[in-house]
């Protein structure tokens, strides 16, 4: 298995551990958009889609979030990205679309 840092560069398992297990670094952004909880995180390991794309960042949309116990609802869709810049941009697009009521989520795919 290959490991990657926040710059999308291959790194050691030790460096990956120091990022992945640090919530301030792992979580790129989380927020509510209406009733939906949207979370973008660093995965740091390859999740290939057969097209040579790393997919080391991921945005997930959940149908709810419980503030009392910190639990997410059901996963609706997700997107994956190669870089932190793509992940931030993708997160903002998802939030905007969800706030505007774009619930079909037809654009969701592994990038």
């Amino acid at each position: 298995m290959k490991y990657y840092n926040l710059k999308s560069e291959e790194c050691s398992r030790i460096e990956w551990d120091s990022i992945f297990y640090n919530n301030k670094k792992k979580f790129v952004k989380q927020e509510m958009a209406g009733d939906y909880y949207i979370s973008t995180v660093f995965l740091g390991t390859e999740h290939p889609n057969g097209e040579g794309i790393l997919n080391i960042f991921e945005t997930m949309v959940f149908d709810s979030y419980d503030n009392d116990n910190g639990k997410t609802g059901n996963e609706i869709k997700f997107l994956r990205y190669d870089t932190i810049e793509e992940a931030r941009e993708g997160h903002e697009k998802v939030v905007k679309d969800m706030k505007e009521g774009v619930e079909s989520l037809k654009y969701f795919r592994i990038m």
Side-chain angles (χ1 to χ4, degrees), residues 61-77:
V61 178
F62 300 91
D63 64 3
S64 63
Y65 182 79
D66 186 336
N67 283 323
D68 293 333
N69 64 24
K71 292 190 177 184
T72 59
N74 297 312
E75 174 190 335
I76 297 174
K77 297 287 180 180

Side-chain angles (χ1 to χ4, degrees), residues 13-58:
R13 170 71 190 261
I14 293 170
E15 182 180 354
W16 176 83
D17 281 348
S18 72
I19 300 165
F20 189 79
Y21 294 107
N22 179 334
N23 283 346
K24 289 183 180 182
K25 293 180 180 178
K26 178 181 177 179
F27 289 100
V28 177
K29 195 160 188 184
Q30 304 79 49
E31 63 189 289
M32 296 296 296
D35 292 332
Y36 299 99
Y37 176 66
I38 301 165
S39 176
T40 299
V41 299
F42 167 73
L43 302 172
T45 57
E46 289 180 295
H47 292 77
N49 66 357
E51 297 177 13
I53 297 173
L54 297 177
N55 293 317
I56 60 174
F57 294 89
E58 178 178 76

Side-chain angles (χ1 to χ4, degrees), residues 65-98:
Y65 182 79
D66 186 336
N67 283 323
D68 293 333
N69 64 24
K71 292 190 177 184
T72 59
N74 297 312
E75 174 190 335
I76 297 174
K77 297 287 180 180
F78 69 93
L79 280 162
R80 288 191 177 148
Y81 319 93
D82 280 353
T83 68
I84 196 165
E85 292 82 11
E86 291 173 359
R88 288 179 179 141
E89 187 177 301
H91 180 96
E92 294 305 321
K93 178 173 177 19
V94 171
V95 169
K96 179 180 180 283
D97 286 352
M98 297 308 289

